[in-house]
Amino acid sequence: MSSSIDAGDTGTVAAATPTTEALRNLYYARFGFAVLWAGLLALTASTLNPASIALLVIYPLFDVTAAFIDIRSSGTARPKKPLYITMALSLLAAIGLAAAATSGIPDVLRVWGVWAIAAGIVQLTVAILRYRLGGQWAMILSGGISALAGTSFILQAGDANAPLTPLAGYAALGGVFFLISAIRLQTAIRPDGGRWPSGLVRGGWRVGVCGGPRRRGFRRFLPR
């Protein structure tokens, strides 16, 4: 069975293009923020001080903002319910981190760990639901790693001298996954602003529904 393109497919591709571009831009922004935040936290992570506490609270608040932008730009093309859950979790995390900061780094790690586990599961779910948009395998991997990292933060909280530095690494790694997904989405967008249809791999190879790659030929898709 071939994966040739008919008018219905083309309409779907065209409708998905603004969604894909908005998601790509959001991923680039999240990468830039994560790297900047990780660098700033690494400089202030030795103790809980006004700067590090502010950074701890800002991170989940940025997550709330990103989810809100995601919802506004998604239209009807992407599931919204998991994003609302993400907003609620991140808002609770910001409040919890502000409170935990008054008790010490171990409590901060516990709150962050619980949030990382819950947020990772939601991110994994959203990425699976969006898989057809492309560029989501990195988000699936990121969600799984977030849940594992959250567990490690809770375990590290047993050490009274635990540092905040692991949180910087967590954010930086998450940023890299956002960058990978953004690049993957970028390659899915055609030079004319359209979107390469599913089943087509740029460079002349196409994958049929039943499996192996086939050389370009019979019904090669050409951008207008």
Side-chain angles (χ1 to χ4, degrees):
M1 184 182 296
S2 71
S3 59
S4 57
I5 304 157
D6 56 28
D9 293 328
T10 304
T12 302
V13 168
T17 300
T19 293
T20 303
E21 291 180 344
L23 192 60
R24 174 205 61 191
N25 294 338
L26 181 61
Y27 284 172
Y28 276 132
R30 298 201 66 166
F31 161 71
F33 172 81
V35 171
L36 176 62
W37 185 91
L40 292 175
L41 185 68
L43 295 174
T44 60
S46 57
T47 61
L48 279 174
N49 51 63
S52 60
I53 293 173
L55 287 169
L56 290 171
V57 175
I58 287 172
Y59 192 94
L61 290 180
F62 181 84
D63 206 48
V64 173
T65 304
F68 177 76
I69 294 172
D70 201 343
I71 291 170
R72 291 290 300 272
S73 64
S74 64
T76 59
R78 301 201 294 270
K80 293 184 173 63
K81 188 174 294 185
L83 294 173
Y84 285 119
I85 295 174
T86 294
M87 291 177 67
L89 289 173
S90 297
L91 187 58
L92 289 173
I95 296 171
L97 288 167
T102 62
S103 301
I105 291 179
D107 282 346
V108 168
L109 291 175
R110 290 187 184 97
V111 173
W112 194 286
V114 172
W115 175 48
I117 293 171
I121 293 172
V122 174
Q123 184 180 29
L124 182 63
T125 303
V126 172
I128 291 173
L129 293 173
R130 290 176 169 176
Y131 191 77
R132 290 177 65 85
L133 285 175
Q136 294 303 303
W137 66 265
M139 291 295 94
I140 291 173
L141 187 58
S142 177
I145 291 176
S146 178
L148 293 175
T151 303
S152 72
F153 295 148
I154 294 174
L155 295 176
Q156 291 173 35
D159 181 0
N161 297 317
L164 291 172
T165 310
L167 301 184
Y170 167 83
L173 181 60
V176 170
F177 282 122
F178 278 118
L179 177 62
I180 292 172
S181 289
I183 293 172
R184 291 290 295 172
L185 288 174
Q186 178 67 47
T187 61
I189 300 173
R190 302 200 316 258
D192 64 351
R195 188 173 183 274
W196 297 101
S198 59
L200 182 69
V201 180
R202 293 174 67 180
W205 289 91
R206 192 176 69 173
V207 179
V209 174
C210 294
R214 298 181 298 181
R215 274 294 185 182
R216 58 186 167 189
F218 294 101
R219 298 190 66 177
R220 184 187 177 203
F221 181 84
L222 292 175
R224 291 186 180 87

